[in-house]
Structure formats: C-alpha cells, structure tokens
Amino acid sequence: MSAQATQPAAGKMTGMSKETSKETQKQTPKGAWTVTFLLFLFMLVNFADKIVVGLAGVPIMTELKLEPEQFGLLGSSFFFLFSISAIVVGFIVNKVPTRWVLLTLAVIWALTQFPMVGTVSFTTLLICRIVLGAGEGPAASVAMHAIYKWFPDEKRTMPTAILSQGSAFGVILAVPALNWIIVNHSWHYAFGALGIVGLIWVAAWLALGKEGPLDTHASAVIEPKIPYLQLLTSRTFIGCVTATFGAYWALSLGLTWFTPFIVKGLGFSQSQAGFVSILPWVFGATIVILTGWISQVMLARGYTSRISRGVLGSVPLIVGGLILAMMPHVQGAGLQIALLVVGSGLCGAIYVVCPPMLGEFTPTSQRGAVLAIYGALYTLSGIIAPLVMGSVIQRAGSMLDGYMTGFTINAAIMVGSGALGLLLLWPNTEKARLTGGAAPQAAPLKSAVSPT
C-alpha cells in the first residue's frame, strides 16, 4: 500500500524535475552578453589585423617594389601556420580554460604589429604575417567554443551571428581609420595603431573576461565520446568544410586583393578605395545578422536544422557565385563593384550556420577540437586564393583582365562548394546516426547542450 502510495509521488517529482530542467535550459547565464560583446571586439581586432595588408597593398608594393606574385605570396603567408595552429590549440582548449587561451592569442597579435612601425624589409613583413597567422588561426573556433559555454543550443545561432559580425565591423570601422593613417601618415603607422588596439583589448579581457558555466553542467552529463574519425568523416562535417572553403576563398581575396583591384584595376584613388572597400563588409554584415535571426526563428517554429541551418547557409553561397560570375560580362566600374559586393557578401550566411550544426552532434568534451579542425581545413583556401589571383594577374594580357579571370575562378568555386554543402548538410540526422538513434543518459541540464 505504501509502495503504491509513493509511486505516484515519485512520478510527480520526476515530472517536476523535468520541468525544472527544461526551464533551466532556456535561461541564459548572467554575464553571457558581456562576454559575447568582448568576443565580438576580439573578432573585430582579428579582422582589422587581417585586412591591413590588403588595404595598404598599393603603398606596400610601391615601397618594397613587389610584383603581383610576391604580393600574393605575402597575402598567403598569413595562412602558412594558420591551420596547424588552429588544430593544436583546438585540442588544448578541450583541457585549458578558453579565457587564458584567448588572452594569449591577443597578446601575440599585438606584438607582431610593432616591427612594421619602422623601416621593414619584405622578409620581415613576411615573417611577421606568418607569426600573426599562427596567432589568429585558432581565434574563431576558440571564441565560438567560449560562446557555446554561455548559451544552450537553441540559443546559439544569434550569438554566433554577433560573433561573426566582429569580422565585418572589424573592416567597416577599421578601414576608414587605417586608410586615413595610410594616406596622411604612412602604412607603417597603421600597423602600430593595430598593435595598440590589441593591447587595449587584452586589458579589457583581463578585467571582464570569464569562463562560461555551461561546461560545468555538461560535465554532469553521461555523454560518451565519439571517435574523431567518425566525427571528421561525417557528411555534415565534410559539407561544412567544403561549403565554407568556397566562402573563405572569396573572403581571403577580399582581404588581400579587393583594395588593389579598386586602385589598380578600376583606377580609383587610395582615399576613394578606403570608402569602397567597406561596401562588401557592410552588405555581408547585413546577411550575417539576417541569417542568424531567420535561422533562430525557423528553429523556434519547428523547422529541422537541415532546413533552418543547412539549406539556409548553402543557397546564398550558390547565388553569390552566380552573381560574381557576371562581373566580366558587364561594363562600368560601378556595376562591377555592385556585383562583387553582393556576390561575395552572400557568402556570410555559411559562417553563421556551420558551427552550430557541428555543435549539434559533437560531444561537448570534443567540440573545441572539432571546431578547430573545421576552421583549419576551410581556411586552407586562404593559402591558395591570394597566390592564384597574383599568378593570374601577372600572366594576364592586362591587369583588369587578370582580376576578372581571378574573380571568375572564385565564382566557380563558390557555386561548386555551395552545391556540395546543399547535398551534405544534414545535422539532425547526423546526430541520430552517430549516437545510434538513442539519446544519451543525462543528468539535469543535459538538454542545455543538446540540439532542438
């Protein structure tokens, strides 16, 4: 009798526990948005550091007497250690708090800028860019891993979009300021200014940066590890790498060659180029925010992550490539710039959706490494794209013809990578396959790191 009496009570308590767990999973920990803002600034500095060589491309080529192939090598050198560093640090952040890893990376960025303040040789500039690339290689994946310690899965798309906005705003805000320094003083001082800004961020992070609490809850979860071979050969992982490879091809060309194209290819002045150079990033920022918002709304309304993340990220990449392919066939600098801005800007959608898709089926204890390997693989296009463009320009009949051929190659890669992404991105079914179709046993708050 007493056993029968206690059974419903136990069932009631279990129900209450489940309700409490569901309620808790929807709560964002206090301080999450402060850390998100600091990491937004982290990515802002990251991309300002990246773009300064492209922005100062014409003065650098003039002062150091560089051929297009040499400047292409300089653009590619940034990525020589980028992928290796990303993978190594990705495994480190599985064990070491992201707070200290992010601090170390930012210090490296700042210190590598200062040698360029004085007289510098091509070799010194090349070495500093290689070291900077090693410091920036893990940045996006570590920052994303840090953000995911503050937000449950169903709330990650918008913070991911905000973090991605750091790249756009790093260009939008930095380009006018850096270009003013380049035009009115020297490209050398533009590097020095970035070093100072980097140290300011380090001080702010020391004061306000914290480690997210959700990993503490995750440690209570009975969440078996999945062999890395299975994770890295899953079709969604391959699809994410392939799709983002094409998007990053466009981005790395934008970082290295966009401003020289405006100045040498279309005949704008350096001052005018500073304004024109921010247009792709303004448009791209809009795409990123819209993608993050639309994706989160679709998830809340019950759409699968295949649709609300996979399809939503891949289709703009295909459309962008088709738009970019029209550039050689239209007349007028204004129309060509418009096609380049829209075509390359649409790539931003894929950056918002891929990390959350990988987070859906990757165990928390392995997430840092998987995100890092993903980043390391797709950024390999950063080594290839600037070199290809430099080689094409140097061998073309005219400089403008060379640029148009290079952008056509970019368009083909975007369409192909977007189409492969559309075929391969199935994160919701990937989770079921990798876990054998059964949800893992969990302590309360397991759902805080599970996909919806």
Side-chain angles (χ1 to χ4, degrees), residues 1 3 8 14 26-27 109 132 134 157 204 207 311 315 317 321 332 346 363 367 392 413 426-427:
M1 184 77 174
T14 303
K26 295 180 181 179
Q27 295 175 356
W109 304 354
L132 177 66
T157 311
V311 174
V315 171
L317 191 55
L346 285 170
R367 188 178 61 214
V392 167
I413 290 171
W426 293 79

Side-chain angles (χ1 to χ4, degrees), residues 98-439:
T98 54
R99 180 172 186 252
W100 301 114
V101 175
L102 291 164
L103 183 73
T104 302
L105 296 177
V107 169
I108 293 171
W109 304 354
L111 296 181
T112 54
Q113 305 298 337
F114 293 117
M116 267 71 75
V117 174
T119 303
V120 63
S121 67
F122 175 68
T123 301
T124 302
L125 182 54
L126 196 71
I127 291 171
C128 286
R129 294 301 288 181
I130 292 171
V131 174
L132 177 66
E136 294 204 355
S141 57
V142 175
M144 207 72 70
H145 183 51
I147 282 285
Y148 290 176
K149 295 182 180 184
W150 288 93
F151 295 91
D153 179 76
E154 68 273 10
K155 294 187 177 182
R156 285 177 183 166
T157 311
M158 186 54 71
T160 301
I162 292 171
L163 193 65
S164 299
Q165 285 304 289
S167 61
F169 278 87
V171 177
I172 294 168
L173 298 179
V175 164
L178 292 174
N179 199 55
W180 182 88
I181 295 173
I182 292 166
V183 171
N184 294 281
H185 297 281
S186 165
W187 64 269
H188 297 275
Y189 293 124
F191 283 88
L194 289 173
I196 293 170
V197 169
L199 292 178
I200 292 172
W201 187 89
V202 166
W205 184 250
L206 269 174
L208 301 171
K210 296 178 183 178
E211 198 76 6
L214 294 189
D215 265 10
T216 303
H217 302 318
S219 64
V221 178
I222 305 171
E223 188 182 35
K225 289 190 174 183
I226 298 172
Y228 278 104
L229 182 62
Q230 290 186 35
L231 291 170
L232 302 182
T233 56
S234 66
R235 63 180 175 181
T236 298
F237 181 86
I238 294 170
C240 281
V241 170
T242 304
T244 319
F245 181 94
Y248 208 80
W249 187 289
L251 185 144
S252 59
L253 286 185
L255 291 171
T256 306
W257 283 108
F258 188 82
T259 304
F261 167 65
I262 297 300
V263 175
K264 289 196 167 185
L266 298 181
F268 287 80
S269 68
Q270 181 70 34
S271 298
Q272 292 170 323
F275 169 74
V276 176
S277 294
I278 69 172
L279 296 179
W281 305 92
V282 173
F283 181 75
T286 306
I287 293 297
V288 166
I289 285 292
L290 278 175
T291 302
W293 177 74
I294 293 169
S295 175
Q296 203 144 304
V297 168
M298 291 177 72
L299 283 170
R301 292 183 178 180
Y303 286 89
T304 65
S305 55
R306 155 69 181 168
I307 302 298
S308 57
R309 287 173 173 170
V311 174
L312 187 65
S314 299
V315 171
L317 191 55
I318 298 170
V319 174
L322 294 174
I323 291 172
L324 202 61
M326 297 167 60
M327 275 186 68
H329 308 291
V330 300
Q331 299 297 318
L335 185 53
Q336 289 174 339
I337 290 172
L339 293 174
L340 181 56
V341 166
V342 175
S344 58
L346 285 170
C347 293
I350 200 69
Y351 299 111
V352 182
V353 297
C354 276
M357 281 193 285
L358 296 176
E360 285 187 48
F361 58 84
T362 302
T364 304
S365 61
Q366 297 171 275
R367 188 178 61 214
V370 168
L371 287 174
I373 294 168
Y374 155 68
L377 292 175
Y378 80 69
T379 54
L380 288 173
S381 61
I383 297 176
I384 306 167
L387 280 172
V388 169
M389 180 66 92
S391 179
V392 167
I393 293 169
Q394 192 152 332
R395 287 162 174 74
S398 72
M399 186 165 288
L400 185 58
D401 288 342
Y403 278 114
M404 291 303 167
T405 302
F407 288 129
T408 301
I409 294 170
N410 183 13
I413 290 171
M414 285 170 57
V415 172
S417 63
L420 286 171
L422 194 59
L423 289 172
L424 296 172
L425 296 175
W426 293 79
N428 45 313
T429 57
E430 205 78 77
K431 169 108 178 155
R433 183 182 68 81
L434 290 170
T435 58

